[in-house]
Amino acid sequence: METAAPGQWTFRAHGPSGGDDCRKGPSCPAGDPPANATGEPLSERAGKEAAAPVLAAAGQSGARLFAEESLGAVRIVNADPVVGGLPTYGWSTDLQI
């Protein structure tokens, strides 16, 4: 477990472009999606698969995943890290996909 920079952090990237490869300029959409965005959330399995590379980059590839919750069109994936083979409580990483 990394102890050099403990604490909480947040990364937020929203937008209708679907990626971060948008060319900057007048045609580049900006800002959050509308609050009334509709659609079906990803399946639990697809949400877990989408979260995997982010969790691996954060050193949490062995975390226990829970993806039963959704909020509108957003799948919520909660990752509880396992440290020394033991479950943790209160150290959850929550991803909205």
Side-chain angles (χ1 to χ4, degrees), residues 6-80:
Q8 298 180 355
W9 61 273
T10 301
F11 174 78
R12 181 175 168 187
H14 290 282
S17 67
D20 63 356
D21 60 349
C22 180
R23 295 181 190 193
K24 302 300 176 200
S27 64
C28 184
D32 292 338
N36 62 354
T38 60
E40 293 296 317
L42 294 174
S43 68
E44 291 179 29
R45 180 179 178 178
K48 289 177 181 181
E49 289 175 0
V54 174
L55 294 169
Q60 295 189 28
S61 57
R64 294 176 300 147
L65 302 181
F66 304 93
E68 296 83 13
E69 186 180 355
S70 63
L71 181 62
V74 178
R75 174 64 58 193
I76 310 297
V77 179
N78 300 307
D80 291 334

